């Protein structure tokens, strides 16, 4: 007896006629008089394998009572299947029921369409649905491809801290971990310092970005990246924002904005190619049930160069657009989602890199251009979602960085270590941040970012 995954069994890698065992959960069961057709999935691929059981099994009565999500171990002979769309099936010699579903009628996951809103309320059970199984495997494929891209291109993976004292974006959107009040340290009933409430003895927060920390490593290891959770306490009750999301942030020494944009484009295309090559089964389901053109648009994304537009030109285009926007379009104002979507969906029809934004709407660390009005920033906009990447060339000149911090009202004492890179061997460098869930939303054609992460954190939502 060989234990195999459903994926291995369906690929027929095991000699047909051989005996195999699969372990998983029932997706559906159909039956006729002396036969039961059980579709079993173990998450290893999109398709389930059909297990055919007949009344020669000692526990056939039990097998007939199986319902969706019961856990089973099925052993039998792997044979080529006569069924439509199935490569191999198992003619069972034994079906062991490992776990019953206690009340199939009230079990939340039913083999029928369920709304995303309902499924978010049962986030711990939704990976059992076809959609969340597919999204989970695609997310995994994208993450592994990201690491592979960096590995193949000489980047080192740096683990940056989650608890920090620095506001990397200077935007005041940090979740507080501990406070500064040394005189009144919290004490428990015995009078001892309660470290669970004030461990660090200073104000600490959850990080909004690993960028500042990873810059330090770029300035010694040249090409580096972080890939970790980041947190933003913005009131982000939208379909594009999470309070906790994962960000991939490469940082490259001796790079300017053009090189930054080149890497961003190459990196995205690498990941899309991986999904097309490795997750054809899940993407076919997405194309059938979620977004008709899910595969063709990824293919076109991979095959066409991204458009590059300067912010100033983007404003002119938007002002001339044959379309009324809800938010004003004016040089100096940030682009809103409706503007980003018009640019990428209606004007260009493919991804766009917008560069050189007005300095006062972008973060303090971005490099001031010679015009004194714009910074070397870039956003990569994708059709259907808008901004998925934000990046920039960093301000490597200490006097300019100090001036920018003063302009944003940031205390240089808090950023002493960050200023050090500009004091000791400073070089031009650049990087970007890719919002990982926005990438998943784009690839899977999802309409809400809360479905792109296993356990979404958003205002009022921290269950499970
Ligand atoms: O543009 P942002 O704020 O850039 C940074 O944090 C830089 N430090 C990155 C860098 O240069 N290393 O965020 C980068 C990306 C956005 O383009 C977006 O995709 C995603 O992070 N993002 C969010 N995703 C989900 N929920 C949120 N609340 C997000 N905020 C930003």
């Amino acid at each position: 007896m060989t234990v195999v995954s459903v994926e291995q069994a369906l690929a027929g890698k095991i000699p047909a006629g051989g005996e195999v065992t699969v372990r998983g959960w029932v997706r559906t069961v159909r039956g006729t008089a002396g036969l039961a057709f059980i579709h079993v999935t173990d998450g290893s691929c999109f398709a389930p394998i059909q297990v055919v059981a007949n009344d020669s099994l000692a526990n056939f009565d039990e097998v007939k009572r199986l319902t969706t999500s019961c856990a089973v171990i099925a052993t039998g002979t792997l044979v080529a299947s006569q069924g439509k769309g199935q490569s191999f099936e198992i003619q069972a010699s034994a079906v062991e029921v490992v776990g019953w579903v206690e009340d199939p009628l009230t079990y939340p996951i039913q083999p029928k369409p369920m709304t995303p809103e309902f499924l978010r309320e049962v986030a711990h059970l939704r990976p059992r649905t076809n959609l969340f199984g597919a999204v989970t495997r695609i997310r995994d494929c994208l993450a592994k491809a990201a690491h592979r891209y960096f590995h193949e291109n000489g980047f080192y993976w740096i683990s940056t801290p989650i608890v920090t004292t620095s506001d990397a974006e200077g935007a005041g959107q940090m979740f507080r971990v501990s406070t500064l009040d040394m005189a009144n340290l919290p004490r428990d009933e015995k009078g001892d310092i309660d470290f669970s409430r004030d461990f660090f003895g200073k104000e600490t927060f959850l990080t909004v970005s690993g960028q500042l920390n990873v810059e330090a490593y770029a300035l010694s290891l040249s090409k580096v990246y972080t890939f970790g959770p980041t947190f933003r306490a913005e009131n982000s009750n939208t379909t594009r924002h999470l309070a906790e999301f994962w960000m991939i942030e490469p940082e490259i020494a001796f790079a300017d904005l053009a090189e930054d944009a080149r890497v961003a484009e190459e990196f995205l295309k690498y990941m899309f190619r991986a999904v097309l090559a490795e997750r054809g089964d899940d993407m076919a389901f997405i194309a059938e049930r979620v977004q008709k053109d899910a595969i063709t648009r990824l293919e076109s994304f991979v095959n066409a160069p991204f458009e590059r537009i300067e912010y100033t030109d983007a404003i002119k285009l938007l002002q001339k657009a044959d379309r009324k926007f809800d938010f004003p379009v004016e040089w100096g104002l940030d682009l809103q989602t409706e503007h980003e979507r018009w640019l990428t969906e209606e004007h260009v029809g493919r991804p766009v890199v917008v560069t050189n934004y007005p300095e006062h709407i972008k973060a303090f660390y971005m490099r001031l251009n010679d015009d004194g009005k714009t910074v070397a920033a870039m956003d990569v906009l994708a059709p259907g979602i808008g901004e998925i990447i934000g990046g920039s060339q960093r301000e490597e000149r200490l006097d300019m960085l100090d001036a920018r911090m003063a302009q944003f009202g940031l205390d240089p004492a808090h950023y002493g270590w960050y200023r050090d890179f500009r004091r000791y061997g400073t070089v031009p460098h650049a990087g970007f941040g890719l919002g990982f869930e926005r990438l998943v939303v784009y690839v899977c054609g999802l309409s809400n970012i809360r479905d792109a992460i296993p356990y979404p954190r958003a205002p009022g939502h921290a269950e499970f």
Side-chain angles (χ1 to χ4, degrees):
M1 173 187 96
T2 318
V3 178
V4 294
S5 69
V6 168
E7 185 183 31
Q8 287 169 324
L10 288 173
K13 282 188 185 144
I14 308 94
E19 190 160 76
V20 294
T21 295
V22 293
R23 302 180 293 199
W25 295 267
V26 172
R27 194 176 272 177
T28 54
V29 195
R30 283 182 303 117
T32 57
L35 280 177
F37 301 95
I38 314 157
H39 283 189
V40 177
T41 171
D42 63 359
S44 57
C45 59
F46 182 81
I49 189 155
Q50 175 160 280
V51 174
V52 184
N54 64 32
D55 52 12
S56 67
L57 297 187
N59 64 342
F60 189 65
D61 274 355
E62 214 177 43
V63 169
K64 278 195 305 193
R65 285 190 285 113
L66 285 170
T67 55
T68 301
S69 287
C70 286
V72 292
I73 298 179
T75 299
T77 314
L78 189 70
V79 296
S81 176
Q82 307 298 317
K84 205 169 139 248
Q86 285 161 188
S87 50
F88 288 87
E89 65 184 28
I90 293 172
Q91 301 282 353
S93 54
V95 176
E96 182 190 344
V97 184
V98 181
W100 289 98
V101 166
E102 62 175 36
D103 180 4
L105 288 180
T106 58
Y107 176 53
I109 305 297
Q110 297 288 330
K112 63 171 192 196
M114 287 167 286
T115 65
E117 290 76 18
F118 167 72
L119 288 172
R120 263 170 242 145
E121 286 169 22
V122 287
H124 59 305
L125 298 175
R126 66 181 182 170
R128 300 169 181 216
T129 63
N130 286 342
L131 175 62
F132 284 91
V135 170
T136 303
R137 282 182 296 270
I138 292 170
R139 185 182 161 108
D140 167 81
C141 173
L142 288 165
K144 286 179 180 149
H147 283 296
R148 211 162 52 235
Y149 170 85
F150 290 125
H151 179 61
E152 287 172 9
N153 286 280
F155 285 74
Y156 293 104
W157 181 25
I158 310 300
S159 304
T160 49
I162 287 174
V163 175
T164 179
T165 54
S166 324
D167 184 353
E169 290 301 297
Q173 295 177 330
M174 300 200 292
F175 286 104
R176 188 183 299 278
V177 175
S178 62
T179 55
L180 184 64
D181 193 1
M182 290 298 284
N184 295 301
L185 286 176
R187 301 199 177 257
D188 60 22
E189 56 282 6
K190 281 191 260 144
D192 294 331
I193 295 173
D194 180 355
F195 283 112
S196 68
R197 289 170 57 206
D198 194 341
F199 191 86
F200 298 102
K202 52 170 66 87
E203 260 189 317
T204 52
F205 305 91
L206 296 179
T207 187
V208 294
S209 156
Q211 178 199 321
L212 305 194
N213 299 86
V214 90
E215 273 185 60
Y217 278 75
L219 296 177
S220 44
L221 282 84
S222 296
K223 295 209 270 183
V224 295
Y225 70 105
T226 72
F227 187 170
T230 47
F231 306 84
R232 300 219 177 158
E234 55 197 330
N235 189 12
S236 50
N237 232 331
T238 79
T239 55
R240 302 192 325 142
H241 291 87
L242 289 164
E244 176 180 301
F245 62 100
W246 286 64
M247 215 190 325
I248 305 178
E249 298 183 272
E251 192 70 30
I252 315 160
F254 301 100
D256 61 9
L257 189 65
E259 172 64 1
D260 204 27
R262 187 195 68 74
V263 172
E265 179 170 350
E266 185 179 80
F267 173 55
L268 283 174
K269 288 180 172 175
Y270 184 97
M271 285 188 290
F272 292 136
R273 276 195 206 99
V275 170
L276 288 168
E278 296 165 26
R279 292 269 48 112
D281 57 346
D282 293 313
M283 287 305 293
F285 172 76
I286 297 284
E288 191 190 311
R289 295 291 176 84
V290 187
Q291 176 116 30
K292 242 201 198 123
D293 65 346
I295 296 175
T296 48
R297 74 198 175 123
L298 276 199
E299 285 166 349
S300 65
F301 197 114
V302 163
N303 291 322
F306 293 6
E307 182 85 9
R308 283 164 174 65
I309 304 181
E310 296 239 353
Y311 165 89
T312 303
D313 295 329
I315 293 293
K316 287 183 195 152
L317 286 168
L318 286 160
Q319 283 170 337
K320 278 193 266 164
D322 190 13
R323 150 97 198 263
K324 259 206 104 33
F325 295 110
D326 293 335
F327 289 89
V329 178
E330 207 176 290
W331 199 97
L333 298 181
D334 210 353
L335 300 181
Q336 302 296 323
T337 306
E338 56 173 349
H339 308 139
E340 294 177 343
R341 292 192 61 170
W342 180 85
L343 276 172
T344 175
E345 285 161 36
E346 294 178 43
H347 181 64
V348 179
R350 55 180 203 280
V352 179
V353 188
V354 180
T355 56
N356 298 324
Y357 284 77
E359 52 85 24
H360 61 277
I361 59 170
K362 288 291 183 183
F364 69 96
Y365 52 71
M366 298 188 178
R367 192 179 199 278
L368 194 66
N369 287 324
D370 291 343
D371 61 14
K373 292 193 311 199
T374 59
V375 282
M378 66 163 188
D379 281 354
V380 179
L381 316 178
I385 175 149
E387 181 194 330
I388 56 172
I389 283 183
S392 63
Q393 185 172 339
R394 318 306 188 189
E395 184 54 83
E396 86 282 13
R397 299 161 296 185
L398 184 60
D399 53 341
M400 303 293 264
L401 181 69
D402 283 346
R404 295 269 298 156
M405 290 206 291
Q407 178 190 340
F408 283 83
L410 299 174
D411 180 358
H414 268 125
Y415 295 87
W417 64 278
Y418 186 66
R419 294 174 73 251
D420 273 356
F421 321 148
R422 280 76 184 165
R423 297 172 63 209
Y424 308 125
T426 190
V427 297
H429 59 288
F432 63 82
L434 166 67
F436 191 55
E437 285 72 24
R438 292 214 184 153
L439 178 75
V440 174
V441 162
Y442 178 72
V443 173
C444 298
L446 301 173
S447 48
N448 194 320
I449 197 164
R450 296 181 194 186
D451 301 330
I453 188 165
Y455 299 100
R457 299 290 179 252
H461 295 278
E463 299 82 7
F464 310 106

